[in-house]
Amino acid sequence: MGDVSHTSLSPLPSSGRVDVAARLRDALLGASFTADGLLDLLGAPAYAALARSETVPALRATRGDTPLETLVRLFLLQQPVPHARVADVLPVEDGLESGWLTRVGADEIAATVDIRPYGGPGGEDWFIVSDLGCAVGGAGGIGSREEGVVLGVGGASTTLAGITVRTPVSSALDLGTGSGIQALHAAQHATRVTATDLNPRALHITALTLALSGAPAADLREGSLFEPVADDETYDLIVSNPPFVISPGARLTYRDGGMGGDDLCRTLVQQAGDRLNDGGYAQFLANWQHVEGEEWQDRLRSWVPRGCDAWIVQREVQDVTQYAELWLRDAGDHRDDPAEYQARYDAWLDEFEARKVKAVGFGWITLRRTVAAEPSITVEEWPHSIEQPLGETVRAHFDRVDYLRASDDAALLAGHFRLVAEVVQEQVGLPGAEDPEHVVLRQHRGMRRATKVDTVGAGFAGVCDGTLSAGRILDAIAQLVGEDPVLLRDRTPAQIRLLVEQGFLEPAE
């Protein structure tokens, strides 16, 4: 991508000309400038390299003069293209007048923003707008140190979009909207979408993303965290991919929250409870400190606001040196004078040492507003592979929380259950042994959990098809293995509860 590290940010296109955005969208789609079209043109290796901000393979694949090659060079590779070639594909005068395009030299046209095709969950052809040179990914950093820079779609953005609960709602709030990807997703299932950002440039780019993607306009508000939201405004869904990086300062608006340590993420989570309607969800990505002498799980439990169930998943942990190096490289600081890089690195370690931070965790936080007298808070570590999208898995987790909270052991034994689809059983033991050492149930969908069970638990799960109550199944197992049915009924509900909690069994009612 073009190196903009020593230049000021370009003026942005007008977001008020919806007609221009519509004509531009039609032209892009007409040239197959879509996620599928790019894959067909570039091939899988070059397409994947482009996602890492490596452009050489894509440059080699776009040496021709087809409309799609022209658009790739113009918007993705940020290469000037002869006016005549652009005019064959796009409404050039509209683009120049509204600011999407600019003249370069005597007879060439360049883009003023990065426009990247993005496939929606239902096969929609969307476009994410960001600043030039600021597609996310790649070992060289984003290539810009401008405070107001707006990044494109990265792994964090797609992770949050994938875990978000997508039930139809009346109102959704996207805090720290950036390029607008979360607002774009929310617009598909929310009647009203509000998007906020401290960076006015981000609000402008969000408007461009929505318009170019053919989505309804959002209510855009400038300000930090919940400041732009009135005290009496509440929502059915709140999402945020905030500037969660724990850093010694606030150099870069897109990543540094400007509060000490993990205070920004803590504040965001604690303030979300009062902004949710009953049954509403708030879902965030976050970083949190692992502090000497403190359990990280306890730290996160203290963040959960009153009146909310919570499911918090730690996906990754980095020691302070790895963490500092990651974000110094992300900003391109490794390309600076070595002495300056070392000084910045030292400042990060000073900050962590002063706060007694030994590592930093990264993961997801989901809150759900509840009227239950005793909210449920689950904090766990799950660094293993998962299957996105997880929105339905998240919703089902809280449904199970409700069921288990309302069910004592007698209710569990009277209940009917089904084994969730794509669960397999593995028997673990020495080769040739008559009996396995233990049995493992493993999910092949969603969280892809695995859990040990005894032979009774495995047998119980295997016959759960919703027709018989848990108690009757246990009575049959007791007769089969020659065990006292009363004792078996006494000791098995805990195992049933665990299998329901982890999503191996679901109530059949």
Side-chain angles (χ1 to χ4, degrees):
M1 304 295 168
D3 183 4
V4 296
S5 57
H6 300 292
T7 61
S8 59
L9 293 172
S10 303
L12 291 172
S14 167
S15 57
R17 294 289 305 279
V18 177
D19 57 328
V20 173
R23 284 196 290 274
L24 181 56
R25 173 179 170 79
D26 289 343
L28 298 179
L29 294 177
S32 296
F33 188 64
T34 64
D36 289 342
L38 288 183
L39 183 59
D40 289 342
L41 171 67
L42 302 178
Y47 186 74
L50 194 60
R52 301 190 301 269
S53 296
E54 297 292 349
T55 60
V56 172
L59 285 166
R60 293 171 61 85
T62 54
R63 292 168 172 167
D65 58 1
T66 67
L68 181 54
E69 288 169 299
T70 296
L71 294 177
V72 171
R73 286 197 158 244
L74 187 67
F75 289 117
L76 298 187
L77 304 179
Q78 277 100 57
Q79 300 291 311
V81 178
H83 185 288
R85 284 183 59 185
V86 179
D88 287 340
V89 187
L90 298 175
V92 173
E93 295 308 316
D94 281 348
L96 290 170
E97 180 184 350
S98 57
W100 293 90
L101 305 173
T102 187
R103 298 184 188 275
V104 178
D107 193 35
E108 289 188 315
I109 300 295
T112 60
V113 288
D114 182 300
I115 298 177
R116 199 152 295 244
Y118 178 81
E124 302 92 346
D125 289 315
W126 292 339
F127 300 96
I128 308 298
V129 181
S130 65
D131 276 315
L132 293 174
C134 293
V136 181
I142 64 165
S144 177
R145 311 257 182 81
E146 292 284 348
E147 182 179 345
V149 70
V150 179
L151 303 189
V153 175
S157 304
T158 55
T159 294
L160 179 59
I163 68 172
T164 300
V165 176
R166 297 295 176 194
T167 53
V169 295
S170 295
S171 56
L173 172 63
D174 176 17
L175 285 176
T177 187
S179 62
I181 178 175
Q182 309 305 331
L184 179 56
H185 275 278
Q188 310 310 301
H189 63 103
T191 304
R192 175 174 57 89
V193 176
T194 301
T196 73
D197 206 291
L198 182 63
N199 180 5
R201 189 176 183 87
L203 298 176
H204 191 115
I205 281 186
T206 290
L208 298 177
T209 289
L210 295 173
L212 195 59
S213 298
D219 178 6
L220 304 175
R221 305 183 191 181
E222 183 179 343
S224 177
L225 299 179
F226 289 100
E227 288 176 1
V229 180
D231 291 341
D232 60 348
E233 287 184 279
T234 55
Y235 298 87
D236 302 311
L237 174 67
I238 298 172
V239 293
S240 183
N241 176 19
F244 51 65
V245 177
I246 300 170
S247 62
R251 289 173 56 211
L252 301 171
T253 301
Y254 74 88
R255 73 168 199 194
D256 303 316
M259 297 185 186
D262 52 15
D263 283 355
L264 182 135
C265 290
R266 175 185 56 78
T267 301
L268 179 61
V269 173
Q270 289 180 336
Q271 292 182 355
D274 291 337
R275 303 293 184 172
L276 284 175
N277 295 324
D278 287 345
Y281 290 92
Q283 299 187 261
F284 315 105
L285 300 186
N287 278 185
W288 43 80
Q289 298 171 151
H290 286 227
V291 179
E292 292 178 13
E294 175 187 81
E295 294 294 331
W296 68 268
Q297 296 95 331
D298 292 340
R299 183 181 193 85
L300 289 171
R301 286 190 186 96
S302 74
W303 291 8
V304 178
R306 295 179 61 183
C308 288
D309 294 323
W311 183 21
I312 301 172
V313 181
Q314 179 168 274
R315 293 287 292 156
E316 184 179 359
V317 180
Q318 291 185 321
D319 68 50
V320 292
T321 60
Q322 293 173 309
Y323 189 81
E325 290 162 14
L326 169 67
W327 293 108
L328 287 168
R329 283 188 170 272
D330 177 82
D333 290 334
H334 61 301
R335 295 193 297 264
D336 286 344
D337 172 67
E340 187 174 353
Y341 172 78
Q342 290 177 10
R344 286 180 175 150
Y345 197 152
D346 212 29
W348 283 68
L349 297 185
D350 282 345
E351 176 81 3
F352 287 131
E353 184 176 337
R355 295 180 175 275
K356 297 183 179 180
V357 175
K358 57 184 179 180
V360 177
F362 169 83
W364 323 321
I365 298 175
T366 299
L367 307 177
R368 185 191 59 166
R369 190 75 184 174
T370 181
V371 296
E374 296 185 14
S376 166
I377 300 177
T378 300
V379 183
E380 63 176 317
E381 185 164 21
W382 190 255
H384 312 294
S385 64
I386 59 166
E387 183 188 52
Q388 285 274 38
L390 275 176
E392 181 59 24
T393 299
V394 173
R395 187 201 59 76
H397 166 89
F398 288 97
D399 283 351
R400 295 193 300 271
V401 165
D402 287 340
Y403 176 82
L404 292 173
R405 188 159 43 201
S407 302
D408 58 15
D409 287 356
L412 286 181
L413 292 173
H416 294 239
F417 300 95
R418 280 191 297 262
L419 185 66
V420 173
E422 297 196 38
V423 172
V424 298
Q425 175 179 307
E426 301 173 359
Q427 295 186 352
V428 181
L430 293 174
E434 184 175 345
D435 297 313
E437 293 179 14
H438 58 262
V439 177
V440 174
L441 298 182
R442 187 179 301 278
Q443 300 169 354
H444 281 264
R445 303 295 299 272
M447 292 293 286
R448 294 179 173 166
R449 295 188 188 278
T451 190
K452 290 182 184 180
V453 293
D454 60 21
T455 53
V456 171
F460 177 85
V463 297
C464 279
D465 61 4
T467 58
L468 296 176
S469 70
R472 291 188 62 187
I473 292 173
L474 290 178
D475 289 343
I477 292 175
Q479 185 175 10
L480 184 65
V481 300
E483 189 168 341
D484 185 336
V486 175
L487 293 178
L488 194 59
R489 279 173 171 256
D490 284 344
R491 69 178 176 87
T492 306
Q495 194 165 190
I496 297 174
R497 191 174 294 275
L498 178 65
L499 291 174
V500 172
E501 180 183 320
Q502 294 193 346
F504 290 91
L505 296 177
E506 61 184 5
E509 291 86 354

